[in-house]
Amino acid sequence: EQQLTPNVERPFSLIRRDAARYFALDSRNGKPSLGEKIRILFDSPGLQAMLIYRYGAWVNQRVRMRLMRIPLKFVHYMLQKLCIIFWGIYIDDGARIGPGLYIGHFGGIIIGPDQIGRDCNVAHQVTLGQRADGVPGVPTIGDRVWIGVGAIVFGNVRIGDGVTIGPYTVVSRSLPAKLMVIGNPMRVLR
């Protein structure tokens, strides 16, 4: 069974891991200079969306004093709306995301109240969440899962570690570790 502990880890260690993945994947040689790190920070909507999500998770989990919590939640609400308007990235407040989520391209990304493991990749036009017919449950996604362009993962499904979900794949059933799936209807490639 997968060990998901994103809510137990300290917020700054989560942010450091998120940023480290962007610095490694978006830099010219995998070891960016300070100037290149600053460029990546300002040029990566996915990283900015993750920072907004981490800020909201910190407010919801750590800020107990109501007088402070209300204005901080309002700031998060406004930042989240800007993230949706400008980049088309929505991450639900109820999501539990492990360190190192990499959103490679922005636009049309919806991450519901899912559980996502460590070092996962999400492409654009991806939807992760509940079923539309009201059947309860949300996806639980393991570590190092790659979710391709236009993929949809919905319902009470478990995606094992190391799974690759190809472009435009619809996943409505659980998948064991280290599979590659593609298509609608979904089929296993290897």
Side-chain angles (χ1 to χ4, degrees):
E1 190 166 309
Q2 298 166 357
Q3 295 292 332
L4 293 176
T5 59
N7 289 342
V8 176
E9 296 190 47
R10 297 181 188 268
F12 290 111
S13 68
L14 294 168
I15 290 170
R16 273 193 300 276
R17 181 61 189 149
D18 293 338
R21 292 234 33 237
Y22 280 86
F23 295 155
L25 295 171
D26 288 353
S27 67
R28 289 177 193 72
N29 63 5
K31 297 184 180 189
S33 65
L34 178 60
E36 193 172 17
K37 286 181 180 180
I38 291 170
R39 180 197 57 82
I40 290 168
L41 179 63
F42 284 103
D43 283 348
S44 297
L47 176 57
Q48 295 166 7
M50 285 305 300
L51 293 174
I52 292 167
Y53 163 76
R54 299 285 185 214
Y55 168 74
W58 172 77
V59 169
N60 288 331
Q61 295 169 10
R62 306 287 173 126
V63 178
R64 299 287 179 225
M65 193 164 67
R66 185 181 174 105
L67 190 58
M68 290 297 294
R69 187 178 181 152
I70 291 172
L72 293 174
K73 282 185 77 108
F74 179 73
V75 168
H76 174 255
Y77 174 81
M78 295 306 294
L79 290 171
Q80 186 182 48
K81 293 304 172 199
L82 289 173
C83 186
I84 294 167
I85 292 167
F86 288 122
W87 305 308
I89 300 173
Y90 170 73
I91 303 174
D92 192 272
D93 289 342
R96 291 181 47 210
I97 301 174
L101 178 65
Y102 180 80
I103 300 171
H105 304 281
F106 63 95
I109 297 171
I110 300 172
I111 299 176
D114 314 312
Q115 294 183 16
I116 301 174
R118 303 176 69 85
D119 297 333
C120 292
N121 292 352
V122 173
H124 57 289
Q125 302 296 324
V126 167
T127 301
L128 309 172
Q130 299 171 318
R131 292 173 55 111
D133 60 6
V135 175
V138 294
T140 299
I141 297 170
D143 297 339
R144 297 169 313 283
V145 173
W146 186 85
I147 303 172
V149 175
I152 300 171
V153 181
F154 65 95
N156 188 19
V157 297
R158 296 185 72 79
I159 308 301
D161 295 343
V163 168
T164 299
I165 299 171
Y168 304 105
T169 301
V170 177
V171 179
S172 61
R173 67 178 193 259
S174 295
L175 300 171
K178 299 181 181 176
L179 276 184
M180 178 183 281
V181 296
I182 193 163
N184 182 15
M186 181 185 73
R187 66 185 195 278
V188 176
L189 290 182
R190 62 181 169 109

